[in-house]
Amino acid sequence: MLQVTTDNRGDWYVLWVCGELDLVTSPRVRQHVHDAVAQGRRRLVLDLSAVRFCDSSGVGVLIAARRLLSSCGGEFRLILPADGGVGAAGATGGVSRTAVSGGAHVNRVLAALGVRRLFAVYADVDDATSGTAEPLSA
């Protein structure tokens, strides 16, 4: 099961993803990214801190999203906590972002595949959208 909610943070469009990012669910995330770009959004944050599982199709969606935003002069950022915790507690648009084990799995998968360095990764949405914080090191 996968839940995706959206929000605007200044110039940034944020997608909060909760659940499993796999062959069955990753097309929904891909569609959200494509819809955002079609609506003229060029600054996108994908918060994966509540994603418990990610397979190669999920990684493919992340790489394709990065490529799409780059091709239209946009910016693409990921939220991936290193420790598996979730950024902010509470709920946004129905997706609970309380402390669950997630996010760190995606970070480990991207690192194991050698593609983690392709992404601008931040600890939380506030850092990703502030314009002052530096990305986390790969």
Side-chain angles (χ1 to χ4, degrees):
M1 181 156 168
L2 183 82
Q3 291 179 305
V4 180
T5 58
T6 63
D7 191 20
N8 291 302
R9 294 280 183 102
D11 292 344
W12 291 92
Y13 189 64
V14 180
L15 295 173
W16 276 282
V17 182
C18 180
E20 297 184 358
L21 191 54
D22 58 23
L23 181 65
V24 174
T25 61
S26 60
R28 287 186 50 211
V29 175
R30 182 186 310 269
Q31 190 61 53
H32 276 280
V33 170
H34 282 267
D35 290 348
V37 172
Q39 294 167 7
R41 301 178 194 282
R42 297 297 181 263
R43 300 178 100 191
L44 183 70
V45 174
L46 203 56
D47 186 339
L48 303 176
S49 58
V51 172
R52 296 181 307 270
F53 175 80
C54 180
D55 68 8
S56 60
S57 59
V59 173
V61 167
L62 301 179
I63 292 171
R66 177 188 173 273
R67 190 174 305 142
L68 175 63
L69 269 295
S70 179
S71 72
C72 62
E75 294 179 69
F76 181 64
R77 297 179 175 178
L78 296 180
I79 308 303
L80 293 172
D83 64 357
V86 175
T92 300
V95 175
S96 174
R97 293 187 292 136
T98 56
V100 296
S101 177
H105 169 78
V106 180
N107 208 357
R108 287 190 305 271
V109 168
L110 294 177
L113 294 173
V115 298
R116 164 65 174 72
R117 62 180 166 35
L118 299 176
F119 299 98
V121 176
Y122 292 80
D124 58 46
V125 171
D126 290 336
D127 283 353
T129 59
S130 71
T132 58
E134 292 293 320
L136 302 173
S137 62

